[in-house]
């Protein structure tokens, strides 16, 4: 089919002409008020795609962009581990009040709105003070928090959000974006490989490929029996003369792809790892 020059412009003008003489769809509110059901509560019904998944990703962008902060969003993270939300309820803890739950249309009590586990924030306060409560240091704050607690508890993310002034959605988004950060307590052994350019020059890519072959999972995944998890780490720009590989946070020194694969095999078999200088 040949293209006619200017045909698209003519089609656009024709559509404009039809819409200009057609029925107006816009309701001039508040001059014109549409009939509303007496039981209407303004609750949105989320749409599902053809695969049966929610189209809304609960990214909180509409809530944080709302100029009058009237949007209160709630959801469960992608692995159904804990409840996350954004809105006035985050600031005033209204979600834990039965009246607020009823207004939102949720049954009472709501198990997903249970309070997160308490946390001793003494060490976290020290980290925040060292980083001058600067949200621009968020990645470093989260990394040091994980080193302290072993993972990133929800209470820690909330505390970081309130202390730095950063939106909770930003803190949560940063924590879920980087593979080296985890939101659940670690189980089994963790093998981590730094993927910075210097470590990649020393063969980090080949080591990581060998580990994935033996473990049977990509970065962030775990072996089927739950013995070994593969993650990434950071040498902070100061790698040794070999790619940085850690086992449960301890550097393993020089490791070739074959040696890394043997280490992962021993861990999966339940044998104690051999120490390395």
């Amino acid at each position: 089919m040949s293209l006619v020059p200017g045909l698209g412009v003519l089609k656009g003008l024709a559509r404009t002409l039809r819409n200009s003489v057609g029925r107006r769809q816009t309701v001039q509110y508040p001059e014109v008020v549409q009939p509303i059901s007496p039981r209407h509560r303004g609750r949105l019904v989320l749409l599902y795609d053809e695969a049966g998944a929610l189209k809304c990703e609960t990214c909180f962008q509409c809530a944080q962009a709302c100029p009058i902060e009237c949007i209160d969003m709630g959801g469960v993270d992608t692995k159904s581990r804990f409840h996350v939300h954004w809105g006035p309820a985050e600031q005033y803890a209204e979600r834990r009040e039965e009246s607020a739950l009823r207004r939102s249309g949720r049954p009472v009590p709501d198990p997903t709105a249970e309070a997160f586990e308490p946390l001793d924030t003494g060490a976290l306060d020290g980290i925040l003070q060292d980083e001058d409560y600067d949200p621009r240091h968020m990645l470093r704050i989260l990394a040091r928090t994980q080193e302290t607690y072993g993972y990133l508890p929800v209470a820690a993310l909330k505390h970081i959000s309130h202390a730095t002034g950063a939106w909770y959605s930003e803190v949560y988004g940063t924590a879920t974006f980087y593979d080296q950060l985890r939101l659940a307590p670690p189980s089994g052994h963790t093998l981590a490989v730094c993927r910075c350019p210097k470590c990649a020059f020393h063969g980090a890519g080949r080591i990581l490929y060998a580990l994935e072959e033996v473990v049977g999972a990509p970065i962030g995944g775990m072996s089927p029996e739950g013995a070994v998890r593969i993650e990434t780490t950071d040498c902070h720009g100061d790698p040794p003369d070999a790619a940085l590989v850690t086992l449960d946070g301890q550097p393993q020194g020089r490791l070739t792809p074959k040696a890394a694969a043997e280490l992962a095999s021993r861990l999966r078999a339940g044998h104690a790892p051999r120490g390395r200088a």
Side-chain angles (χ1 to χ4, degrees):
M1 179 179 179
S2 60
L3 298 178
V4 179
L7 181 60
V9 176
L10 294 177
K11 288 183 177 179
L13 292 175
R15 179 179 291 273
T16 302
L17 180 62
R18 289 197 303 270
N19 292 336
S20 63
V21 298
R23 179 185 176 186
R24 300 292 189 272
Q25 300 296 328
T26 303
V27 177
Q28 300 299 325
Y29 182 85
E31 290 79 9
V32 179
V33 180
Q34 293 282 73
I36 300 176
S37 170
R39 299 181 62 85
H40 178 72
R41 294 295 182 271
R43 189 180 185 191
L44 298 178
V45 178
L46 299 182
L47 301 179
Y48 291 82
D49 60 16
E50 60 277 2
L54 280 174
K55 289 186 176 181
C56 176
E57 299 290 341
T58 320
C59 64
F60 306 104
Q61 293 187 23
C62 62
Q64 70 184 36
C66 178
I68 59 175
E69 299 181 355
C70 68
I71 301 178
D72 182 7
M73 297 185 64
V76 180
D77 76 320
T78 54
K79 295 186 179 180
S80 299
R81 290 170 296 193
F82 47 80
H83 182 82
V84 292
H85 65 269
W86 172 269
E90 178 191 344
Q91 303 173 17
Y92 305 110
E94 293 178 356
R95 186 175 295 278
R96 310 205 212 294
E97 298 180 1
E98 293 187 358
S99 59
L101 292 175
R102 291 194 181 95
R103 290 196 301 271
S104 67
R106 294 185 170 193
V108 178
D110 188 354
T112 60
E114 293 179 355
F116 44 77
E117 296 182 1
L119 180 73
D120 183 4
T121 60
L124 179 56
D125 288 330
I127 295 174
L128 292 169
Q129 186 175 3
D130 291 342
E131 301 297 339
D132 199 25
Y133 303 92
D134 193 341
R136 293 176 296 181
H137 302 165
M138 186 58 64
L139 183 57
R140 192 158 55 201
I141 292 174
L142 293 175
R144 294 183 60 184
T145 302
Q146 179 170 284
E147 292 176 1
T148 301
Y149 298 101
Y151 70 109
L152 296 175
V154 183
L157 299 182
K158 289 283 188 179
H159 191 71
I160 292 172
S161 173
H162 288 295
T164 61
W167 285 323
Y168 177 71
S169 56
E170 292 182 345
V171 180
Y172 180 80
T174 304
T176 55
F177 180 81
Y178 291 93
D179 295 328
Q180 68 266 29
L181 301 177
R182 53 180 176 266
L183 302 177
S187 59
H189 295 284
T190 300
L191 283 169
V193 183
C194 179
R195 297 191 298 173
C196 75
K198 291 183 179 180
C199 289
F201 177 78
H202 290 298
R206 294 188 297 272
I207 294 175
L208 186 58
Y209 178 78
L211 290 177
E212 291 177 341
E213 287 290 314
V214 174
V215 175
I219 294 177
M222 179 174 285
S223 59
E225 76 285 349
V228 183
R229 178 189 297 273
I230 300 179
E231 293 184 355
T232 60
T233 186
D234 190 357
C235 66
H236 303 289
D238 187 23
D241 54 357
L244 176 62
V245 181
T246 64
L247 172 60
D248 297 334
Q250 299 299 321
Q252 296 300 294
R254 291 176 176 270
L255 276 184
T256 62
K258 181 179 179 180
E262 292 176 352
L263 175 60
S265 298
R266 291 197 303 272
L267 294 175
R268 290 198 62 180
H271 299 298
R274 300 174 186 173
R276 288 183 174 270

